[in-house]
Amino acid sequence: MSPETDRQRVWADAVVPGLPLSRKDSVFSQTQLWLGAKYDLGNGFKAKGTLSQNWRDGKEDSPGFWREKNIAVSHEDYGVLTVGHMLSRTWQFADYPYGTNIGLSYAWAGTGAGYRNLTSAVRYTSRVFDVAEGDLVLEATYDSGNSDFKINKPRFLELWAHYGKGDLSVDAMYQDTRNGTPSAFGAAVFNGPFYDAAADGKLGNSGQSVALIQAVYQYSPKIELSGAVRRNRWSGAYAVVALDGPPVQFNFPFNVDWFGSINGVSNPGYPARSTDISLGARYRMDKWTFATGMAYMGKASTTNPSERGQSNSALINTLQATYAYGNGLEFSVFGGMIHYRLKGLAPLSMPSNAMLNGIDSRVTKAGNWFGIGAKYAF
């Protein structure tokens, strides 16, 4: 099957006969550009506009969608109001600095029941409050998604709270959504249940949510410790032909009992929940920073009688060393390994069976990778 085929579709389960285990070489590049403008409105009010896009190997990271395209008005006493395209906090903070610093950027931020890109969002961020001798910031974000869906109307709500005191920093996030694209891809776009609103009448309601707490503690000037726990929830989404074609196009199902039925519904989707955890540590020595990370994708709880990966789990470990050359240039060496509990479909909180460097859970229970990299910021 095509590697782009959604793993939730049963015809993507099969492995090509005779597929060998082998080493795979890859070259990866990423470019992100920001354009910003600020203006002082007077009386303590300021306006800001942001435009940014990300390219992976020369292609838009999310084709057809901006990374950021928004305007914001702020006041030090009243907080910040932002409108437009923006990033969700559950992805943003899981990716950077948390995941990036311990080699788990994609493994942690690109998994789970959240969404990354918001396209019609309104966000309010409070001013900084002095609480228990620390700093507290509160925030709420709402996105109505693609308004062309009238039956299965999209809805996105995210709450974020940050508390910092001394060497401790804690971020708590909760994201609750209805009628986004059902998925376990934390870097997905929140837009609608399908790419074409013409299928609206054939689709069923679905929803998913994620609760995430991350903490970073500066144990000493050289040692930094981090940890996180994430709770995923999916309602499930039944499989149905969304567009008759040609060619015939299925919707985006999730956790389906293929060829089964319940209450007269064929190919029903079942609710599921799972818990993922992460730990990390960093050690700084002059221009060098050494780091290690761990992520555990847990088994899922569901009543689905078919195996869709809910019985599997995965343990991911990483090591990396970064050298700050200066003037915005960094060099790094890194490595990692993944171990699946079972050979078969990947854990439900992973978007594909081979999401990490092509190490396919249907082919092997374990794999590893290593590489070198460079980053330049200006």
Side-chain angles (χ1 to χ4, degrees):
M1 299 302 298
S2 166
E4 303 301 322
T5 301
D6 183 357
R7 64 158 281 194
Q8 294 294 331
R9 296 171 177 173
V10 68
W11 51 88
D13 291 356
V15 179
V16 176
L19 184 68
L21 286 173
S22 62
R23 187 183 69 183
K24 179 181 179 181
D25 298 328
S26 64
V27 177
F28 167 74
S29 67
Q30 179 171 314
T31 304
Q32 181 150 358
L33 298 178
W34 286 270
L35 179 63
K38 297 180 179 180
Y39 184 75
D40 192 337
L41 300 173
N43 296 320
F45 289 95
K46 297 180 180 180
K48 178 183 177 181
T50 303
L51 186 68
S52 74
Q53 186 58 288
N54 190 84
W55 292 266
R56 293 176 185 267
D57 294 328
K59 300 178 181 179
E60 288 183 355
D61 195 15
S62 299
F65 297 94
W66 289 93
R67 178 61 65 94
E68 293 179 278
K69 187 174 69 172
N70 57 67
I71 57 173
V73 177
S74 64
H75 190 284
E76 61 180 11
D77 294 328
Y78 307 128
V80 184
L81 183 66
T82 309
V83 179
H85 293 238
M86 61 193 76
L87 299 171
S88 73
R89 298 306 193 186
T90 53
W91 178 85
Q92 187 175 9
F93 294 132
D95 177 75
Y96 182 85
Y98 182 88
T100 300
N101 284 347
I102 55 176
L104 291 173
S105 174
Y106 185 60
W108 185 244
T111 54
Y115 295 90
R116 176 183 66 187
N117 294 64
L118 309 179
T119 60
S120 305
V122 178
R123 170 176 289 166
Y124 172 71
T125 311
S126 75
R127 66 178 178 86
V128 179
F129 297 101
D130 186 359
V131 177
E133 300 181 347
D135 294 331
L136 175 67
V137 176
L138 302 174
E139 182 181 272
T141 304
Y142 181 83
D143 191 338
S144 57
N146 187 344
S147 60
D148 291 338
F149 287 90
K150 306 299 184 182
I151 300 173
N152 300 288
K153 294 181 179 180
R155 174 187 59 78
F156 174 102
L157 176 64
E158 183 179 66
L159 304 176
W160 168 54
H162 169 80
Y163 182 74
K165 181 179 180 181
D167 295 323
L168 177 65
S169 177
V170 180
D171 291 286
M173 294 146 279
Y174 176 71
Q175 190 183 112
D176 184 74
T177 63
R178 295 292 298 176
N179 297 318
T181 303
S183 68
F185 182 37
V189 176
F190 180 80
N191 189 41
F194 196 61
Y195 67 85
D196 191 340
D200 198 5
K202 297 184 178 181
L203 306 173
N205 273 277
S206 64
Q208 55 192 69
S209 64
V210 60
L212 172 63
I213 297 178
Q214 295 180 167
V216 177
Y217 179 64
Q218 196 69 46
Y219 180 78
S220 72
K222 291 186 176 182
I223 300 175
E224 179 182 280
L225 306 175
S226 57
V229 60
R230 179 176 66 199
R231 182 66 170 170
N232 306 296
R233 180 196 65 84
W234 299 272
S235 70
Y238 66 77
V240 64
V241 175
L243 295 176
D244 296 326
V248 169
Q249 298 179 58
F250 267 77
N251 66 328
F252 294 100
F254 195 88
N255 195 29
V256 171
D257 177 22
W258 290 92
F259 313 115
S261 66
I262 184 172
N263 298 327
V265 176
S266 299
N267 301 319
Y270 282 78
R273 298 174 184 268
S274 72
T275 300
D276 306 322
I277 61 174
S278 172
L279 295 172
R282 302 175 76 207
Y283 180 80
R284 300 181 183 90
M285 186 177 66
D286 298 324
K287 291 189 175 185
W288 284 96
T289 301
F290 302 93
T292 181
M294 182 276 290
Y296 176 74
M297 308 297 169
K299 295 191 293 182
S301 173
T302 180
T303 57
N304 188 351
S306 297
E307 179 58 48
R308 299 305 309 161
Q310 65 265 31
S311 300
N312 212 349
S313 62
L315 180 64
I316 303 164
N317 299 99
T318 62
L319 289 170
Q320 67 178 24
T322 303
Y323 180 75
Y325 182 81
N327 297 318
L329 181 61
E330 290 183 354
F331 297 100
S332 62
V333 293
F334 55 88
M337 60 182 179
I338 184 169
H339 184 274
Y340 299 103
R341 176 176 175 268
L342 303 170
K343 188 163 73 171
L345 299 181
L348 210 57
S349 61
M350 298 177 71
S352 74
N353 296 304
M355 69 159 293
L356 281 181
N357 300 288
I359 301 171
D360 197 323
S361 60
R362 299 167 302 172
V363 178
T364 179
K365 289 178 62 176
N368 53 71
W369 64 90
F370 64 91
I372 59 174
K375 182 176 73 173
Y376 179 60
F378 60 94

